[in-house]
Amino acid sequence: MFRAGSRGSVNRATDDVVDDDESGRAPFQLTLGDNIRLMYDDGNWTPVKLPEDTGDVNVTQLMQDNRKLKEENNLLKYKLEVVIDMLTEARSQLQSVSATTPK
């Protein structure tokens, strides 16, 4: 049985204990669907080649696309904040001009 704090991981297919790398932590594997498997090791997700044909799914490319989309989303959020600040400033100036002009 695998216990927290032990220095090995259990291969669920065979229930064998697998020794960890020298860092003392076992890599974490995640299987998505039938043909995508990722391994999280030392702060990075890397695709694991499955024995069967995985088709045209390229996990690395999907991860790069995801990163680019996140960067673009952050840029658009920043631009929106700038436009909101400019609108607020323009409204403030309009209110001060209309307050000083007689009716």
Side-chain angles (χ1 to χ4, degrees):
M1 183 102 201
F2 179 70
R3 288 188 212 114
S6 68
R7 294 266 185 210
S9 61
V10 176
N11 182 345
R12 295 290 179 208
T14 61
D15 288 333
D16 294 333
V17 175
V18 178
D19 289 333
D20 300 337
D21 59 1
E22 55 202 43
S23 69
R25 289 179 285 170
F28 179 78
Q29 288 193 9
L30 175 67
T31 303
L32 303 172
D34 293 331
N35 57 356
I36 300 175
R37 184 178 297 158
L38 301 172
M39 182 184 305
Y40 186 79
D41 189 22
D42 197 27
N44 296 313
W45 286 101
T46 54
V48 176
K49 212 51 163 157
L50 296 177
E52 64 273 357
D53 181 26
T54 60
D56 295 331
V57 177
N58 187 345
V59 176
T60 304
Q61 182 64 39
L62 291 174
M63 291 172 63
Q64 288 173 353
D65 291 345
N66 187 31
R67 181 185 50 79
K68 287 178 185 177
L69 288 171
K70 285 181 180 181
E71 289 173 0
E72 182 181 356
N73 188 30
N74 288 337
L75 178 64
L76 291 172
K77 285 179 182 180
Y78 175 74
K79 287 182 177 183
L80 180 62
E81 284 295 320
V82 170
V83 169
I84 290 172
D85 289 345
M86 291 170 61
L87 181 61
T88 303
E89 181 66 27
R91 184 174 179 188
S92 174
Q93 289 176 358
L94 179 63
Q95 286 177 342
S96 71
V97 168
S98 65
T100 59
T101 57
K103 292 184 180 185

